[in-house]
Amino acid sequence: MKPVRFWLLRHALVEARARAVLYGARDVPLCPLALAAERAQYERLAARLPRPARWLISPLSRTRETARAIFAAGYPAQTLTVEPALIEQALGAWEGLPQHEVAALFARRPDQFWPLPAATRPPGGESMADVVARVGVCLTRLAADHGGEDVIAVAHGGVIRAALAHVLGIAAEQAQNISVANLSLTRFEWHREGWWIGGVNEGPG
C-alpha cells in the first residue's frame, strides 16, 4: 500500500459571540475581522499546502469558508468533499451554555483546551472518547482509499486531537492536552508499517 499524507488544518477563528459559549457541532460563522486581518496567513497556507491534493471538509460552514479563503489567497480552487465523520464533537444539550458554566461542573478552567473530561458524554451528545473512535474509523478508511495521495482535511480542534489520539495510540484524555490553534497544520502519514507524525500545531508558514 502506498503511503497517504494527511494535512489536517483547523478552521479559522469563529465570531466572538460563538466563542463565549460551548458551540461544539453548532454551525457558527467565522469572525469577519479575523478573516480580513489574517490574509497573510492564508497566503502562506496557499503556498505551503501540496498540489495536487484531495480536499475534505466537515459538514459545518466554518470549514468550507476557511478552505475558500485559502483558494482566494492563491491556491487553485478545488472540489470540496464533505466528510461527515470530521464534524466537531456534538455536545448535545450543553451546546450554547457559557464556557465558564460547563468548566465549573468539572473544576476546570474555562481557558483549558477542552472544557469537559474525555469520558463525559453530554445529554444527547458525544464524549471525546466517542470522537476518537469515530475519527479513527474515518482515518483507517481514508488511508485504505487514497494510497499515494495528499489529503487535506479542514476540520476542528476536537477532531484533530482525536486524530492524534488515534495515530499516537494515546488516551482521549491525554489528547485533550494538545494545543491545536486556529489555522494550524497537523501532518501525519500512513505507511504499511504504521503511522508517522510529521508535525503538530504548526503555524501556516
Side-chain angles (χ1 to χ4, degrees):
M1 180 184 296
K2 293 182 179 180
V4 185
R5 294 168 295 278
F6 290 91
W7 304 67
L8 271 59
L9 172 67
R10 188 182 177 191
H11 62 78
L13 190 69
V14 301
E15 67 170 2
R17 286 178 298 179
R19 298 197 303 272
V21 301
L22 215 63
Y23 55 88
R26 279 188 171 188
D27 201 7
V28 298
L30 296 180
C31 174
L33 294 177
L35 276 172
E38 294 168 346
R39 171 75 183 187
Q41 295 190 55
Y42 291 104
E43 291 174 349
R44 288 194 289 269
L45 283 167
R48 182 181 184 191
L49 291 169
R51 309 177 192 183
R54 184 175 299 272
W55 281 70
L56 306 177
I57 57 174
S58 89
L60 301 178
S61 64
R62 54 189 181 268
T63 62
R64 181 181 300 276
E65 295 309 311
T66 300
R68 286 177 172 169
I70 296 169
F71 300 158
Y75 193 103
Q78 305 290 308
T79 298
L80 297 172
T81 301
V82 175
E83 173 52 70
L86 295 179
I87 198 167
E88 183 59 287
Q89 180 181 2
L91 299 174
W94 292 355
E95 290 185 0
L97 292 179
Q99 295 271 6
H100 68 273
E101 287 187 14
V102 177
L105 295 174
F106 304 104
R108 292 187 169 211
R109 300 191 318 273
D111 61 342
Q112 284 187 293
F113 295 138
W114 215 245
L116 56 149
T120 299
R121 184 179 294 117
E126 301 174 287
S127 69
M128 178 55 76
D130 294 332
V131 180
V132 172
R134 161 165 59 83
V135 172
V137 170
C138 176
L139 290 176
T140 300
R141 171 171 50 81
L142 292 172
D145 291 346
H146 299 294
E149 294 187 73
D150 285 283
V151 177
I152 300 170
V154 187
H156 307 270
V159 167
I160 295 171
R161 292 183 182 99
L164 287 167
H166 176 74
V167 302
L168 289 169
I170 61 176
E173 193 78 40
Q174 293 172 296
Q176 287 181 322
N177 295 322
I178 300 173
S179 179
V180 180
N182 294 105
L183 298 182
S184 68
L185 279 171
T186 293
R187 300 178 294 112
F188 49 83
E189 299 178 6
W190 167 252
H191 298 256
R192 283 188 301 178
E193 298 79 12
W195 293 101
W196 177 85
I197 312 298
V200 176
N201 197 38
E202 298 177 335

